[in-house]
Amino acid sequence: MTTRQAMVQHLHLLLGVDRFKDYGPNGLQVEGRGEIRHLVSGVTASLALIDAAIAAKADAILVHHGLFWRGQDGRVTGWMKQRLARLLAADINLLAYHLPLDAHAELGNNAQLGRVLGWRADGRFGEQELGFIGEGSAPCSLDELGARLNMALGRTPVLAPGDGRPLRRLAWCTGGAQGYFEAAIAAGADVFVSGEISEPQAHLAAETGVAFVAAGHHATERYGVQALGQHLAREFGLSQQFIDLPNPA
Ligand SMILES: [Zn+2]
């Protein structure tokens, strides 16, 4: 068992929250009960995850994508009302960590995706050093990399071919990091793996020779929050479970 306050303080220091400029608040987003025994983790604070956490008798929900983002108009109506009403009625804490969870060198999304795929990072790149770059066990082709991602993540990736070179230097950044492609190219990558692709990346891949792979926003961001949930369970003697709700994006 632990307290809400102890868990929030621990996560604030562990993830270095103050070092990041982010698109939404990191930490406690919705205050619930003071004591935490059971923790549910998930990628996004959707209504479905909140309902599943209530059914699982969670005291706190830990997510990568919280409820509040820059650009929202701030009204508590519609879907926002639904989600908040459920959380408040059940007195459940909602804790969200976005970029600090992508970046953490051991428990973060990028570190954990590298672990799942057997990639060793030897450098960082891009804004706020969120991107990871390194090597796998051996150079491979784009099709081999696609097959490996398909098997590991259970989702068919979108491949934008480069010049067909053997892929030795692998750069990656989970989620919607397609805007980091040029920074990955500048860092010396042969391929950049992220969650999503937008229209320009296919042209950049063809013209620079550096391949681009979109392996799924949700699929690439499932691992950080799981590692963090397991860490908290050990640290505070909690029970915890990860609830994976499929997402096509
Ligand atoms: Zn994301």
Side-chain angles (χ1 to χ4, degrees):
M1 195 275 285
T2 187
T3 64
R4 176 184 65 240
Q5 200 185 1
M7 183 182 284
V8 171
Q9 275 176 4
H10 177 82
L11 286 167
H12 191 89
L13 292 175
L14 176 72
L15 298 175
V17 166
D18 290 335
R19 292 205 313 272
F20 294 88
K21 282 208 304 270
D22 211 331
Y23 312 100
N26 287 294
L28 183 66
Q29 289 200 342
V30 178
E31 184 178 311
R33 61 185 65 112
E35 293 189 347
I36 297 170
R37 289 177 176 80
H38 187 58
L39 177 71
V40 160
S41 63
V43 177
T44 299
S46 63
L47 190 62
L49 180 70
I50 292 166
D51 282 342
I54 292 169
K57 301 196 181 333
D59 301 305
I61 306 175
L62 176 71
V63 294
H64 180 51
H65 302 135
L67 284 181
F68 307 111
W69 300 99
R70 197 163 66 199
Q72 286 170 335
D73 69 9
R75 284 179 287 192
V76 181
T77 56
W79 62 269
M80 180 63 89
K81 182 219 163 181
Q82 296 290 336
R83 295 188 195 181
L84 277 172
R86 295 278 222 292
L87 284 169
L88 294 170
D91 203 22
I92 294 185
N93 297 283
L94 177 69
L95 287 82
Y97 296 90
H98 185 235
L99 298 183
L101 182 57
D102 287 320
H104 191 271
E106 182 199 338
L107 301 171
N109 279 322
N110 287 324
Q112 291 292 320
L113 184 68
R115 183 188 59 76
V116 166
L117 292 162
W119 301 343
R120 289 175 314 278
D122 51 36
R124 305 278 287 256
F125 69 92
E127 203 192 322
Q128 305 192 65
E129 303 233 288
L130 289 172
F132 280 43
I133 185 164
E135 291 180 13
S137 51
C140 63
S141 70
L142 183 60
D143 284 343
E144 287 165 349
L145 182 69
R148 174 108 184 77
L149 283 161
N150 194 353
M151 203 161 65
L153 304 182
R155 181 187 183 281
T156 308
V158 177
L159 308 176
D163 57 13
R165 71 179 80 162
L167 306 178
R168 190 178 312 272
R169 296 294 290 164
L170 312 170
W172 67 98
C173 193
T174 62
Q178 58 269 60
Y180 280 56
F181 189 25
E182 283 181 86
I185 295 166
D190 295 314
V191 60
F192 179 52
V193 177
S194 187
E196 298 185 32
I197 185 167
S198 301
E199 197 268 358
Q201 282 85 50
H203 303 293
L204 282 179
E207 293 169 24
T208 63
V210 177
F212 183 95
V213 178
H217 190 136
H218 175 88
T220 58
E221 298 207 309
R222 280 182 300 211
Y223 302 102
V225 83
Q226 289 186 66
L228 192 57
Q230 286 159 11
H231 165 86
L232 290 171
R234 282 192 303 271
E235 181 76 22
F236 292 114
L238 309 172
S239 58
Q240 71 90 30
Q241 68 190 108
F242 172 68
I243 297 181
D244 193 23
L245 299 167
N247 188 316

